[in-house]
Amino acid sequence: MTFTNMVLIGVALFAIVGAIGAFTVAFRRSRADAPAPDPTAGVSEETRRSDRSMEGVRVEPLPEPEPVSEPQPAEVEVEVEAEPSQELAPAGGSVQVIERQRVIEVTPEESGVTRRQFFNRALSGTFFAFLGLVGINSLAFMWPKLSGGFGTDVDAGTVADIQNQTVAADGSIVPVFVPEARAYVVPSPVVPESMEGDGVEAAGLMALFQRCVHLGCRVPWCATSQGFECPCHGSKYSSIGEYFAGPAPRNLDRFVVEVQSDRFIIKTGTVIQTPRSQLLSVSYPRGPSCIGG
Ligand code: FES
């Protein structure tokens, strides 16, 4: 993993941690901003009814509770003056009946979440879930491909197989195209001086990038001339990709290659560019051109 990739991954992780922190702060603020709890919450409906229907209700507050370390629900005793009872009253008189009811104040946690709090939390949760998905997708996009596909080390097959395929029975060259690497593997009887030390040759083979260095057309192989000829603007290259003719500014680009356990590996993560060859290292053209000119 390169230093750049590690930095990108670090930035993405930092963003995710920041989003989680922001969510936590917003969540705590929403709790702090919540309206004060209704002191009558938890009072039974029967009590409320009797409270509304009766006149002369007298509330005797209980003495202030002793401070305790843990917040305890406050209890208030309410004395409700009921209708004078005729049944219990002595003849010619009446008896005053007082019902004692206990009102317990509950904390916001005990009374549950208000509708406003619920919508705030749902909205915040949706937003941060969306943010998390975007972050994960970004991370997946930036995560380097470690194996397989263009940009990685591509296994083109065994060296023996490729060597056999690239030279026909009559001695002519038949490049092996490796789609995953977007490259032609060609025999390289010599390594041009300008390419020495770049690691572009292994086991007598080279891997040429299929893209024309002029404007990017795919360059096909021409069996009759034994070279690569671009149909777009007529650039021509030898069998090992040396510049021969046309507007191309340099030789065909190529990749670093190596042999690992008898397998030919094309390292497509690095493209090697070389200047136009002054003299061709291999014979070209060996027959009629495919595009004329
Ligand atoms: S793109 Fe190949 S010659 Fe222009």
Side-chain angles (χ1 to χ4, degrees):
M1 189 183 299
T2 64
F3 177 73
T4 309
N5 288 330
M6 290 176 69
V7 169
L8 290 175
I9 291 166
V11 169
L13 288 175
F14 183 76
I16 291 172
V17 170
I20 292 172
F23 174 71
T24 306
V25 170
F27 179 72
R28 287 185 175 170
R29 283 190 180 169
S30 74
R31 288 183 58 182
D33 294 341
D38 181 3
T40 62
V43 177
S44 69
E45 187 57 31
E46 184 185 350
T47 303
R48 290 172 185 273
R49 252 197 325 274
S50 64
D51 194 28
R52 281 196 299 269
S53 62
M54 306 223 176
E55 292 182 357
V57 172
R58 183 157 51 91
V59 178
E60 292 181 357
L62 292 175
E64 285 294 320
E66 291 294 323
V68 290
S69 55
E70 287 291 323
Q72 299 294 328
E75 296 184 359
V76 178
E77 281 198 359
V78 180
E79 287 188 359
V80 180
E81 192 175 332
E83 289 288 339
S85 172
Q86 300 300 326
E87 296 174 3
L88 300 175
S94 66
V95 173
Q96 189 182 39
V97 178
I98 296 177
E99 293 179 0
R100 281 186 178 270
Q101 296 178 344
R102 179 163 292 176
V103 178
I104 301 175
E105 290 183 6
V106 295
T107 62
E109 286 77 12
E110 290 171 323
S111 66
V113 180
T114 65
R115 189 183 308 178
R116 182 177 174 183
Q117 284 176 318
F118 172 77
F119 281 118
N120 278 344
R121 291 175 190 177
L123 203 61
S124 302
T126 306
F127 173 72
F128 284 112
F130 173 75
L131 210 61
L133 281 176
V134 171
I136 289 169
N137 282 331
S138 304
L139 201 62
F141 178 75
M142 291 187 296
W143 202 268
K145 289 177 76 176
L146 299 179
S147 64
F150 191 73
T152 67
D153 291 359
V154 176
D155 184 346
T158 64
V159 171
D161 282 348
I162 295 174
Q163 286 173 334
N164 288 337
Q165 289 175 45
T166 52
V167 181
D170 61 359
S172 62
I173 296 168
V174 184
V176 172
F177 183 65
V178 183
E180 250 191 329
R182 303 177 195 172
Y184 293 101
V185 179
V186 294
S188 174
V190 293
V191 179
E193 202 173 310
S194 62
M195 304 176 195
E196 283 178 354
D198 289 337
V200 296
E201 182 271 341
L205 299 168
M206 280 186 176
L208 308 179
F209 196 1
Q210 67 171 4
R211 191 183 63 182
C212 181
V213 296
H214 178 223
L215 291 179
C217 293
R218 180 181 170 185
V219 189
W221 172 252
C222 177
T224 52
S225 69
Q226 291 285 282
F228 294 94
E229 300 180 356
C230 182
C232 294
H233 311 98
S235 289
K236 296 179 180 179
Y237 312 86
S238 73
S239 63
I240 58 172
E242 291 174 299
Y243 170 84
F244 177 74
R250 60 180 186 270
N251 298 327
L252 277 180
D253 295 336
R254 59 208 65 223
F255 301 109
V256 172
V257 292
E258 62 183 32
V259 175
Q260 295 177 5
S261 304
D262 199 35
R263 302 199 70 85
F264 190 73
I265 306 299
I266 306 174
K267 300 172 108 42
T268 58
T270 308
V271 177
I272 304 293
Q273 298 181 349
T274 54
R276 280 181 177 179
S277 296
Q278 301 302 317
L279 290 171
L280 294 182
S281 305
V282 295
S283 169
Y284 176 81
R286 298 186 198 172
S289 168
C290 293
I291 59 174

